[in-house]
Amino acid sequence: MKYVCDVCGWVYDEEAGLPEKGIAPGTKFEDLPEDFECDLCGVDKSNFSKEEE
C-alpha cells in the first residue's frame, strides 16, 4: 500500500519503507512512529491519504 502526503504529494511506500530514516521495508503505515513526518515537507501522519489504485 502507498500513502500520499495531502500537502506536497510525497509518497510513502510500505513495500520500500524509508531505510535512510530507520524504517524497514515492509513497515505498514499504521506501524510508523507517532512522530513520523513527511520526508519532503515535514507534516505529520494525519496529513496522509491512501493512494487510490
Side-chain angles (χ1 to χ4, degrees):
M1 188 67 63
K2 294 180 182 179
Y3 290 80
V4 182
C5 177
D6 298 329
V7 175
C8 72
W10 181 78
V11 177
Y12 173 72
D13 182 351
E14 292 179 338
E15 219 173 271
L18 204 56
E20 63 275 15
K21 302 279 182 166
I23 298 168
T27 302
K28 299 254 179 249
F29 186 79
E30 58 267 15
D31 294 335
L32 291 173
E34 285 306 310
D35 62 353
F36 175 80
E37 295 178 340
C38 175
D39 203 40
L40 196 58
C41 72
V43 297
D44 66 35
K45 281 174 71 170
S46 67
N47 291 286
F48 280 76
S49 301
K50 267 187 192 178
E51 184 176 72
E52 298 301 321
E53 295 294 322

